[in-house]
Amino acid sequence: MILPFTIVVIVVALLAALVCLGFAIAKRGPNDYQLGALALLELLLIAQAVIAIVAPFVGNPPTGNPVEFGAYALAAILIPVLAVFWALRERDRWSSVVLGVAALAIAVMLWRMQLIWTVQAG
Amino acid sequence: MSAPVPASRRAPLATGVGRVLVVVYAILAIGATGRSLTQILTRFADAPVAYTLSAVAAVVYILATIALAAPGAAWTRIAWVTIGFELAGVLVVGTLSWVAPQLLGIEDLDPFGRQATVWSLYGAGYLLIPLALPVLGLIWLRSRTRPTAR
C-alpha cells in the first residue's frame, strides 16, 4: 500500500460520510451528490486494490498477513455497492444514513488495511 | 410478556431506521466473519476458546442480519433470539476477557491485537458497537412487534 494514497481515500470516505449524514440530518433522501460521492469512493477502492495487487511485484510487499488484507480489500469493494442497493430500496432520510454508515465503515477499514499491510511479522 | 402479535399486524423490521440497523449488522457480520476465519485458519492453536467464540459471534451476526432484513414472523423470532444471545455474549465474554482472560486463553488484551475477538472488552476493538447494537436492536424489535391497536 502507498500511505499517501490511503490517506486520500480515507479523506474521501470521511467526506462522503459527512455529505450523506448531512443530507440525512436535513431529512433528505439519497441524491446525486451522495451517490456520486459513493461512486468516487468505489473507484478509489478499486484503484487501491489494483495497487495492492501490483505493489508486491514492484518491490513493495506487505509485511503483514496478505490473506487478512485481501479479505478487507474485497469487503471494502463490495460494501458501497451493496449499501447503494440497500439504500435505494426505500428512498427516505434513512437511506442517506445507510450510505453514510457504509462510507464511515470504509474509512475505518482502510485504516485497518494500512495497519495490516505494514505490521511487522504476522 | 405481552400476547403474541398476529402476523398481519406485525410491521416489517427492515423499514425506515431498521434499514440502518441492518447495514450496521451486515458490516459487523462481515468484519467478524473475516477476523474469525483469519484467526482460525492461520493461528487457531494460539487461543482456541477465544477464536471459537469469534466464530460463534460471526454466525450470530450473520443470522441477526438476515433475520432483520427478511420478512415474516419466523425471522422476527430468530431476530429476538440472535440479538438476545448477542447481548448475553458481549456481556459474558466482555466481562470474562476483562476479569479472567486466562479462561478464554487470551494473553494479549489489546483490543486491536491479534488475539482480539469481537466481544472481548465489550467490543472495544469495534468502537463498542457490539455492546450498543444488541440494545438498539432489542428496542427496535420491541417497538415493531408491539400491538398497534390495543
Side-chain angles (χ1 to χ4, degrees):
Chain A
M1 296 246 283
I2 302 162
L3 186 59
F5 186 75
T6 306
I7 291 170
V8 167
V9 188
I10 290 177
V11 168
V12 169
L14 290 176
L15 286 177
L18 213 61
V19 167
C20 296
L21 294 177
F23 278 114
I25 290 167
K27 301 189 175 173
R28 299 269 294 276
N31 56 32
D32 287 351
Y33 296 107
Q34 297 173 51
L35 296 178
L38 267 281
L40 173 65
L41 181 58
E42 181 70 10
L43 277 178
L44 292 174
L45 287 172
I46 292 170
Q48 173 84 291
V50 172
I51 289 173
I53 291 168
V54 173
F57 297 104
V58 291
N60 175 17
T63 52
N65 184 337
V67 177
E68 198 168 1
F69 180 88
Y72 267 92
L74 189 65
I77 285 177
L78 288 177
I79 285 175
V81 179
L82 296 176
V84 166
F85 275 109
W86 187 243
L88 294 183
R89 230 176 62 127
E90 232 176 80
R91 288 165 167 262
D92 57 14
R93 63 185 304 196
W94 301 112
S95 314
S96 308
V97 180
V98 166
L99 295 174
V101 167
L104 218 50
I106 297 289
V108 174
M109 288 174 75
L110 283 163
W111 170 67
R112 285 286 303 161
M113 283 161 72
Q114 184 69 38
L115 290 185
I116 292 168
W117 185 275
T118 52
V119 73
Q120 294 307 309
Chain B
M1 282 298 280
S2 55
V5 186
S8 56
R9 264 202 252 148
R10 274 178 207 279
L13 294 175
T15 184
V17 70
R19 284 150 58 233
V20 177
L21 211 52
V22 171
V23 98
V24 179
Y25 263 102
I27 291 169
L28 213 54
I30 294 170
T33 307
R35 168 172 281 188
S36 66
L37 277 181
T38 313
Q39 289 173 334
I40 288 171
L41 293 179
T42 62
R43 45 175 192 269
F44 185 67
D46 269 20
V49 181
Y51 295 168
T52 305
L53 282 171
S54 261
V56 170
V59 171
V60 172
Y61 283 124
I62 293 171
L63 271 177
T65 308
I66 298 170
L68 284 172
W75 282 115
T76 305
R77 217 166 301 136
I78 295 171
W80 275 106
V81 174
T82 48
I83 296 174
F85 182 86
E86 229 185 276
L87 183 60
V90 74
L91 291 177
V92 171
V93 175
T95 306
L96 276 181
S97 68
W98 181 38
V99 299
Q102 68 280 6
L103 277 183
L104 302 175
I106 300 175
E107 294 135 21
D108 160 25
L109 256 186
D110 175 6
F112 302 99
R114 42 195 260 114
Q115 289 199 339
T117 73
V118 190
W119 286 339
S120 34
L121 293 180
Y122 307 105
Y126 288 84
L127 310 173
L128 293 181
I129 292 169
L131 183 60
L133 204 52
V135 176
L136 296 176
L138 291 176
I139 292 172
W140 173 245
L141 279 175
R142 207 171 96 89
S143 74
R144 297 308 283 182
T145 53
R146 219 176 335 194
T148 44
R150 299 224 182 213

